[in-house]
Amino acid sequence: MHAQIVLFDGFDLLDVIAPYEVLYAGGAASDGAVDVELVSAEGRREVVSGTGGVTLRATAALAPERAGLVVVPGAAGRVGTPGDAPEEGAGARTPDEFISVLLGRAVQTGLPSLLKAAMDRSGLTVATVCGGSLLLGLAGLLTGRHATTHHLALGTLAETGAQVVPARMVDDGDLVTGGGVTSGLDLGLYLLEREVGPKIARAVEELFAYERRGVVWHDRGPAPSAP
């Protein structure tokens, strides 16, 4: 399985690094059954994260025709909207950019059309970490799909037309979404289990000394009774 993890200006660093390390370790544990690379819509370039300006290098362009898995991170910045910002005063520092602004900029690039091509391609899984699902939603790609995101943004995700599930992980077939920023670890391990097998996922889980959290929600089985 060839995995591509998307970088865009202002991405959240942990949203990228957590699944990258898990998938990379899964490839090593499975004699190359998984390989992973960092990509961007524009191709090879240095991409500045929203986490203290730390930069990662995209080594190739996002190419859905080559990938079996595309992982989309969220953005890192201030929570809220620009209208919430206090007036600048003496001694005020330059604030971090708002997450909503960073995601809005990403939607204005060539990224949404590439993500649509990924979601339209049979046999390819698109996965998101934290606000990555918001990026898909803002691009109009989640209408009617079950998805989750960071708990502070569930209402915003619903406004994009997604069927929001307040779970840590939601499996909607060829779309798998994770909640908060640390869910990137759970996402990576779950995808290894689903795509490669539980023995490989368990080996990586043991190597990382981390146990997956929460139930992975699927749209099947009986609904719970009202309390």
Side-chain angles (χ1 to χ4, degrees):
M1 177 179 68
H2 179 57
Q4 296 185 329
I5 302 181
V6 178
L7 303 180
F8 58 87
D9 295 320
F11 70 90
D12 186 283
L13 193 61
L14 188 57
D15 286 5
V16 170
I17 293 300
Y20 182 93
E21 286 213 38
V22 171
L23 293 171
Y24 185 87
S30 61
D31 295 324
V34 181
D35 66 281
V36 57
E37 65 178 340
L38 301 179
V39 300
S40 78
E42 299 79 16
R44 184 186 298 266
R45 71 181 181 100
E46 303 292 325
V47 188
V48 181
S49 76
T51 312
V54 175
T55 299
L56 293 180
R57 182 171 180 76
T59 59
L62 173 58
E65 69 277 5
R66 293 196 297 112
L69 169 67
V70 171
V71 180
V72 184
R78 300 181 70 188
V79 175
T81 61
D84 299 332
E87 295 183 5
E88 293 185 7
R93 71 176 182 86
T94 302
D96 295 331
E97 294 205 67
F98 283 91
I99 291 174
S100 57
V101 172
L102 295 169
L103 293 175
R105 285 181 189 156
V107 171
Q108 298 303 313
T109 69
L111 183 56
S113 63
L114 290 168
L115 292 175
K116 183 179 186 306
M119 295 186 73
D120 288 345
R121 181 174 170 237
S122 177
L124 188 154
T125 297
V126 174
T128 69
V129 182
C130 199
S133 56
L134 282 178
L135 199 162
L136 293 182
L138 292 170
L141 300 176
L142 288 189
T143 302
R145 300 298 302 266
H146 295 100
T148 192
T149 190
H150 191 283
H151 66 92
L152 293 177
L154 291 171
T156 303
L157 184 63
E159 292 172 0
T160 71
Q163 295 190 41
V164 171
V165 181
R168 185 166 175 83
M169 293 275 298
V170 173
D171 185 332
D172 197 39
D174 58 1
L175 173 69
V176 182
T177 54
V181 62
T182 57
S183 69
L185 288 167
D186 304 274
L187 181 83
L189 288 165
Y190 175 67
L191 290 170
L192 281 181
E193 179 183 23
R194 196 180 90 154
E195 305 296 333
V196 184
K199 293 179 181 179
I200 297 300
R202 173 65 186 128
V204 175
E205 183 180 73
E206 185 175 18
L207 176 66
F208 281 32
Y210 176 82
E211 295 182 1
R212 272 170 34 202
R213 293 173 50 200
V215 173
V216 179
W217 186 93
H218 297 257
D219 188 20
R220 62 172 184 255
S225 302

